[in-house]
Amino acid sequence: MVKSKGWDEAYYWLISHREKIQSMRYPSEDEIIEYIEDFDEDELPLPLGKFQNVFGLLSSILRNPKVKSASEGIYDTFEEAAKYYNKENLEIYLSSTQEQIDFKELLYFCFIGRIPIS
């Protein structure tokens, strides 16, 4: 949402959906430990252990300066997004559970296996 509609719009959406987001299921302590084991500490993409619910996590991410700088978009087209995906090697952040393997295959289909349009 930050990339497509800007930071202010994303913040407004988050605040206006606070109750629903706070009631969402959050990973258990064991799930968080399993998640952390898949990464080096300096590569951990989501600091799940620092929060008690999804709202806290999302609001923290939204306040991150890197996320704020993405306001107005890093890319405008799918082709530009694919270049960003390839450049950043985002696949390395996916571990090896079956769900994550399936998701990785979908990402590959969307970003790598897609034929660009002119």
Side-chain angles (χ1 to χ4, degrees), residues 41-108:
E41 190 171 323
D42 59 331
E43 292 180 340
L44 192 62
L46 296 173
L48 297 177
K50 294 182 178 181
F51 302 96
Q52 301 298 313
N53 60 57
V54 177
F55 180 83
L57 176 65
L58 290 178
S59 60
S60 168
I61 290 169
L62 196 55
R63 288 189 306 272
N64 181 313
K66 287 183 179 181
V67 173
K68 277 191 164 186
S69 72
S71 194
E72 309 306 323
I74 294 175
Y75 41 78
D76 295 318
T77 67
F78 195 89
E79 281 69 29
E80 290 174 9
K83 288 177 190 173
Y84 181 77
Y85 174 85
N86 288 328
K87 177 184 165 197
E88 297 296 324
N89 194 19
L90 299 175
E91 284 187 18
I92 64 171
Y93 295 110
L94 299 174
S95 63
S96 59
T97 67
Q98 187 58 48
E99 182 180 33
Q100 290 163 325
I101 289 169
D102 294 344
F103 182 64
K104 191 174 187 176
E105 288 175 5
L106 286 172
L107 284 177
Y108 182 82

Side-chain angles (χ1 to χ4, degrees), residues 17-66:
H17 292 85
R18 183 182 191 134
E19 286 183 31
K20 186 174 185 176
I21 294 169
Q22 282 179 323
S23 69
M24 293 173 77
R25 183 189 172 284
Y26 198 70
S28 69
E29 197 170 313
D30 289 339
E31 290 170 322
I32 292 171
I33 290 169
E34 183 179 323
Y35 170 77
I36 291 170
E37 288 173 350
D38 290 336
F39 299 97
D40 290 332
E41 190 171 323
D42 59 331
E43 292 180 340
L44 192 62
L46 296 173
L48 297 177
K50 294 182 178 181
F51 302 96
Q52 301 298 313
N53 60 57
V54 177
F55 180 83
L57 176 65
L58 290 178
S59 60
S60 168
I61 290 169
L62 196 55
R63 288 189 306 272
N64 181 313
K66 287 183 179 181

Side-chain angles (χ1 to χ4, degrees), residues 7-20:
W7 189 88
D8 291 335
E9 183 76 20
Y11 180 76
Y12 174 78
W13 181 89
L14 183 67
I15 297 301
S16 64
H17 292 85
R18 183 182 191 134
E19 286 183 31
K20 186 174 185 176

